Amino acid sequence: MPISTSKRLISMVLAGFMLLSPAVSSACTSFLLPSSDGGFVYGRTLEFGVDIGSKGIVVPRGHEMQGTGIDGKPNTGLSWTTKYAAVGASGLDLPIIVDGMNEKGLAGGMLYLPNLSEYQEVSPSESAESIASYEMLVFALTNFATVDEAREGFRSIKVNRSPQKLFKGVVPLHLTLHDASGKSIVIEYIGGELQISDNPTGVLTNAPQFSWHLSALGNYAGLSTEDPAPVKMGDAQFGPPSSGSGMVGLPGDFSSPSRFVRAFFMAKNAPTDKTAIEQVGTAFHFLNNFDIPPGLVSLGGDFGGGGSGYEITYYAAVSDLKNNIFYIRTHDNPSIQSIDMADFDLDAKEIKSFDFQSEWDVQKLGVN
């Protein structure tokens, strides 16, 4: 067996064992949908066993920002002035974006990649030219208009191994990015090396790394939205028992590989006759299929278990890349909330942060 093939098989086997680790869990799922008016809609869920304190955030243009250096202390890393305004959901009580978009239609999210992410070695002399892993998305959205610009931009900086307090160490993440033209890339750090992959599927979940998920899709090549033809035996024939039989075999569990396959087939077969605003509704319906209710994914041990001992979907978010509107539905409030860039001064002096509503907006019917 060639050495390269042997190494690949070993890495795939190890990745499979890593998926079984119960200590840390996050079941994020993301995808991109096209619309009939030339736009694109990006959707994702965020799951954890602990609340990372997400809030609404608006980062203006021309704002001075500074990343985290190798010591884990804020404002000791790379400095930059925001070129583009960005909105979305923050986290960790920091001026970062976990999920969101910028004014040019570049959108994306950071998804958990445990056991595989290994960032670059950064010396003390290089610390001021680096950022922490959890700052990758805010750096991308405030600096770049397209995925091609982001591809080049990440090659010119380093992402360090600085620890984060809540995570009790380095935050293992990979980054999905989509732009207004519909192009998508995935940014990962594996074995201390930057890896940037074109993403023809527009889909991303968690571990294993992105290339593994692409290879695994071939196992489901026979799935179809069309019901299969009946099997004939002499004069008898045996047809499908009901509609939807073409999708028999579509995995329905909460594992990352299964969610990737489900998201791929949903995105692949999404309706194409809807405007971007209408496609936002499609995205939320798709996201319903990845929602983890309390109690179904149990966690044990250290980080990830939290006080509840199980993982839940903390929010589902959708970014309309054409109309520059960010939508979110949280665990505590299933009503959809939005952040419309048109409602904010994108040249403001300060970052704006606000809590998501926790009260349900229940619409009473038949009441004058």
Side-chain angles (χ1 to χ4, degrees):
M1 180 183 294
I3 293 177
S4 59
T5 303
S6 177
K7 286 183 176 179
R8 185 184 179 193
L9 287 174
I10 291 172
S11 66
M12 291 175 69
V13 171
L14 289 175
F17 280 116
M18 289 171 183
L19 288 174
L20 302 177
S21 172
V24 180
S25 183
S26 174
C28 306
T29 303
S30 68
F31 52 79
L32 187 72
L33 304 179
S35 64
S36 60
D37 52 2
F40 289 88
V41 169
Y42 159 68
R44 78 83 58 94
T45 63
L46 181 137
E47 287 82 11
F48 264 116
V50 292
D51 189 349
I52 64 169
S54 292
K55 296 182 178 180
I57 188 171
V58 180
V59 181
R61 313 179 191 108
H63 186 75
E64 298 296 326
M65 300 195 73
Q66 189 167 12
T68 301
I70 60 175
D71 56 3
K73 295 180 180 178
N75 302 321
T76 59
L78 178 69
S79 298
W80 75 92
T81 301
T82 59
K83 186 175 181 180
Y84 303 112
V87 302
S90 66
L92 306 173
D93 294 321
L94 296 171
I96 62 172
I97 299 178
V98 176
D99 219 58
M101 61 183 301
N102 71 15
E103 60 184 294
K104 294 298 183 179
L106 182 68
M110 297 186 295
L111 283 72
Y112 212 51
L113 188 65
N115 305 308
L116 289 172
S117 290
E118 183 181 2
Y119 301 103
Q120 295 156 316
E121 289 189 15
V122 178
S123 67
S125 63
E126 299 173 308
S127 181
E129 300 301 319
S130 68
I131 61 174
S133 59
Y134 48 86
E135 294 164 338
M136 287 192 293
L137 184 58
V138 71
F139 177 79
L141 296 184
T142 57
N143 280 291
F144 312 121
T146 67
V147 296
D148 288 334
E149 288 183 10
R151 188 196 311 269
E152 294 304 314
F154 271 84
R155 287 171 177 162
S156 66
I157 68 162
K158 288 194 173 183
V159 175
N160 60 47
R161 303 173 182 178
S162 60
Q164 201 282 324
K165 183 178 179 181
L166 178 65
F167 284 75
K168 301 177 183 178
V170 182
V171 187
L173 303 164
H174 54 179
L175 182 64
T176 181
L177 289 175
H178 317 274
D179 65 26
S181 74
K183 294 180 68 173
S184 304
I185 59 173
V186 174
I187 298 177
E188 297 174 316
Y189 291 83
I190 309 295
E193 298 292 332
L194 170 64
Q195 296 184 9
I196 302 179
S197 306
D198 289 319
N199 185 357
T201 70
V203 173
L204 188 64
T205 55
N206 310 105
Q209 64 240 49
F210 176 63
S211 59
W212 186 97
H213 288 291
L214 290 183
S215 298
L217 279 177
N219 295 323
Y220 301 90
L223 295 183
S224 169
T225 56
E226 302 291 333
D227 289 338
V231 176
K232 296 182 179 181
M233 294 288 289
D235 294 333
Q237 64 178 19
F238 309 93
S242 67
S243 61
S245 296
M247 280 292 172
V248 169
L250 183 71
D253 59 76
F254 292 119
S255 69
S256 177
S258 293
R259 288 182 286 102
F260 190 98
V261 174
R262 290 208 306 281
F264 169 78
F265 278 97
M266 288 182 186
K268 179 179 182 293
N269 295 292
T272 57
D273 60 348
K274 296 180 180 294
T275 65
I277 292 177
E278 293 171 332
Q279 205 72 303
V280 168
T282 303
F284 273 112
H285 282 297
F286 284 2
L287 291 171
N288 290 340
N289 291 270
F290 304 99
D291 190 84
I292 299 180
L296 285 192
V297 177
S298 299
L299 302 172
D302 301 322
F303 177 79
S308 63
Y310 49 74
E311 184 175 0
I312 61 172
T313 299
Y314 274 96
Y315 67 69
V318 176
S319 295
D320 179 347
L321 282 60
K322 181 178 179 64
N323 298 294
N324 290 344
I325 304 175
F326 176 80
Y327 299 88
I328 193 166
R329 183 182 64 205
T330 69
H331 179 266
D332 294 330
N333 184 357
S335 306
I336 296 175
Q337 304 169 57
S338 68
I339 304 174
D340 189 336
M341 284 193 183
D343 295 335
F344 295 90
D345 178 8
L346 302 183
D347 292 305
K349 300 298 183 183
E350 300 294 334
I351 292 176
K352 185 175 180 62
S353 180
F354 40 86
D355 293 332
F356 294 120
Q357 298 174 11
S358 58
E359 296 286 332
W360 288 30
D361 183 15
V362 178
Q363 301 294 315
K364 293 184 178 181
L365 303 179
V367 177
N368 295 328

